[in-house]
Amino acid sequence: MLPEKHRRRPSRHKGFTMVEMLIVVGILALLIALAIPAYTSYVEKTRIVVLQANTAIFANLVRVYSIDYDKSDWYDSWSHNGDGSLNNYIEQELEIINSGTPENDINLINPYSSKKSILDYDHTLGSGDGYCPAVFLTGNDSYSYAGTGSVNNIIGTIVAYFKVSGNTTEYIEIYYVTKDGTKSDDCRKLY
């Protein structure tokens, strides 16, 4: 018989116990539960930053055109045949939803839908057509598009509202539609 100090003692730990496994799984679940809302919040903040930047870019684009064109030409018929109105020049500068072809590649993208399209006032929405466009041009005093029946169709969209009196545009409001379907706080007004 071997002396006592040379005998092998049976190992009491051959693996993790059920309690230890449950503790590890519980800790992992807690970490995941904390990480998902933080990530979701981060994504939403990023979308808002993109919308703020796009709104500023778009407002500057409108301001540049307003220097070149008479104020009375800021708002006119909704066609993109080059009739000289500001909204038609904007349509020519951005991707037009009707034809899907860009005249120039201005990189305004709706961060909720990833669309680069522009939706104008008299365009009738088809199935899935125009959902959350990048830009919405309107002379309607409501930021929601009357033909859709739901403000969700323009969440994340930059709205250019032309306030018109007679043949003259009094001012243009440029803002984006927030996730809760309201007008953004940082509304830019151009006279």
Side-chain angles (χ1 to χ4, degrees), residues 44 47-48 50-51 54-55 109-117 119 125 130-136 143-145 148-159 175-184:
E44 188 60 27
R47 286 175 172 156
I48 290 169
V50 168
L51 284 171
N54 284 353
T55 303
I109 297 173
N110 186 322
Y112 289 94
S113 67
S114 300
K115 288 201 174 183
K116 293 175 68 175
S117 57
L119 184 63
L125 292 175
Y131 184 80
C132 294
V135 178
F136 176 47
Y143 57 82
S144 63
Y145 181 64
T148 66
S150 173
V151 75
N152 291 334
N153 288 326
I154 58 170
I155 286 175
T157 297
I158 298 169
V159 175
Y175 53 89
Y176 62 87
V177 180
T178 64
K179 190 174 181 181
D180 64 358
T182 61
K183 183 193 287 190
S184 63

Side-chain angles (χ1 to χ4, degrees), residues 31-107:
L31 291 174
I32 291 170
L34 293 173
I36 288 175
Y39 175 74
T40 305
S41 175
Y42 173 76
V43 169
E44 188 60 27
K45 285 177 185 175
T46 304
R47 286 175 172 156
I48 290 169
V49 168
V50 168
L51 284 171
Q52 290 170 340
N54 284 353
T55 303
I57 290 167
F58 186 72
N60 287 334
L61 175 71
V62 173
R63 189 174 283 112
V64 166
Y65 280 128
S66 70
I67 292 168
D68 292 339
Y69 298 99
D70 193 10
K71 189 173 182 178
S72 62
D73 289 328
W74 280 15
Y75 181 89
D76 208 336
S77 63
W78 294 97
S79 66
H80 57 283
N81 297 323
D83 66 3
S85 63
L86 179 62
N87 54 299
N88 290 324
Y89 280 102
I90 292 168
E91 282 187 318
Q92 289 175 9
E93 196 69 24
L94 298 167
E95 183 179 19
I96 303 167
I97 197 170
N98 302 357
S99 65
T101 57
E103 297 293 329
N104 293 306
D105 191 16
I106 302 295
N107 196 20

